[in-house]
Amino acid sequence: MKIAAVVHAHHLQILNETLRHLENIPGNFDLFLNFSFIDPSNQKYLTKLKSQLEEAVPGNCYFSTSNNRGQDFGGMFSSISIAREKNLSYDLICKIHTKRDDETHIEAFGGVTRTRWRNDLLANLLGSPQRVEKIISIFETSPSIGMYSNKKYYCELFEPRNNEVNYKCFVKKLGLKQDCCWPENPFFLAGSMFWLHGDIWEFLKDSSLTVQDFELGAGVDGSRAHAFERVVNGIVYHLGFTGYYE
């Protein structure tokens, strides 16, 4: 089983904590680590971190910078660009990011804070070696599974007033079947941390999308990153997969 961890780092104060979860992936894996930006304020730290990761990660490390474009999905497509260039394919992808610390309560998910939201997703995806082994086994024994994540954050909060235009643009660019997408399929994984079948990585790798399809700056509802967050589930169904959430 060939595995890649795809990580986007914007909030660097929680990057080490986020990366520690990758220690629970058994055996060999490659790491794609994207930084929102590198400037004189963080260059020394990131240079040291890269060196440490190249020693610690059992597979190869690939680093990129997205210049604060597209949030975690801009970061993901920066990593995909490397995979395109080097023709790197995988059986499974684990996508995570440094979702910020924030103690504001979010009514939509039962009043959890953003910090709890991040921790819930990371624990679900990478909480222990046994947890990761179980997830790998789910994909190995159920070939129809395309995405795995936390069911608490699998929702239908599409909010078309803010997201419809950018959403439809991505659906058209990717050639997705309409019955796999909103409004027929309004569900998506809020927080955009998940395990993906390698065929979905290949589909995105073969698409024309790049980090330049996303705008600069912090994400707000209505941004292209928020729209793409809602597109991922449509891709899963377009390719004939379903999701597994627990």
Side-chain angles (χ1 to χ4, degrees):
M1 182 68 69
K2 195 172 181 183
I3 295 172
V6 177
V7 183
H8 171 67
H10 180 74
H11 301 284
L12 297 181
Q13 68 273 21
I14 54 174
L15 177 55
N16 286 341
E17 172 196 333
T18 303
L19 291 172
R20 276 197 294 272
H21 286 81
L22 301 180
E23 296 173 6
N24 291 325
I25 298 176
N28 194 48
F29 68 91
D30 287 349
L31 171 65
F32 291 82
L33 178 55
N34 170 264
F35 303 106
S36 280
F37 60 93
I38 297 177
D39 64 22
S41 71
N42 63 27
Q43 191 166 18
K44 184 176 180 181
Y45 161 70
L46 294 182
T47 299
K48 181 179 179 181
L49 177 66
K50 287 179 183 180
S51 178
Q52 291 172 336
L53 289 170
E54 286 172 338
E55 289 187 15
V57 171
N60 295 312
C61 293
Y62 304 100
F63 302 108
S64 62
T65 306
S66 50
N67 297 314
N68 204 25
R69 185 181 289 274
Q71 297 177 274
D72 54 299
F73 284 111
M76 184 181 78
F77 276 99
S78 293
S79 295
I80 285 173
S81 290
I82 295 173
R84 283 182 184 133
E85 180 185 339
K86 297 181 179 293
N87 194 27
L88 300 171
S89 300
Y90 298 93
D91 299 303
L92 288 179
I93 306 293
C94 182
K95 177 192 173 298
I96 61 174
H97 59 98
T98 57
K99 196 170 186 67
R100 74 179 186 269
D101 274 322
D102 185 342
E103 295 306 316
T104 303
H105 293 274
I106 304 167
E107 184 178 346
F109 301 120
V112 301
T113 64
R114 290 185 185 278
T115 301
R116 173 67 182 275
W117 187 359
R118 179 189 76 231
N119 291 339
D120 283 349
L121 289 167
L122 288 172
N124 176 266
L125 302 174
L126 294 162
S128 69
Q130 294 77 21
R131 184 79 184 168
V132 177
E133 287 171 358
K134 176 186 175 182
I135 293 168
I136 292 171
S137 177
I138 287 170
F139 279 98
E140 286 179 327
T141 58
S142 303
S144 64
I145 301 302
M147 179 163 70
Y148 176 96
S149 195
N150 191 317
K151 68 178 180 181
K152 183 175 184 176
Y153 303 103
Y154 187 63
C155 64
E156 51 182 325
L157 302 172
F158 185 86
E159 299 173 327
R161 182 172 63 86
N162 296 324
N163 296 298
E164 183 175 2
V165 172
N166 286 327
Y167 180 90
K168 286 184 173 179
C169 179
F170 283 126
V171 167
K172 183 177 180 180
K173 281 190 173 186
L174 291 168
L176 303 183
K177 292 176 284 207
Q178 184 54 53
D179 62 352
C180 298
C181 301
W182 178 88
E184 285 85 352
N185 176 13
F187 292 93
F188 70 99
L189 196 285
S192 60
M193 296 194 219
F194 37 67
W195 284 86
L196 287 178
H197 193 288
D199 285 358
I200 297 170
W201 175 263
E202 289 300 303
F203 178 80
L204 293 172
K205 219 174 79 179
D206 291 342
S207 77
S208 64
L209 293 184
T210 72
V211 65
Q212 296 302 320
D213 286 289
F214 298 86
E215 64 268 79
L216 291 166
V220 294
D221 202 30
S223 68
R224 292 173 197 166
H226 273 224
F228 197 84
E229 180 179 39
R230 289 150 174 78
V231 170
V232 175
N233 195 45
I235 298 170
V236 171
Y237 280 84
H238 173 81
L239 293 176
F241 294 112
T242 59
Y244 191 106
Y245 307 99
E246 61 178 357

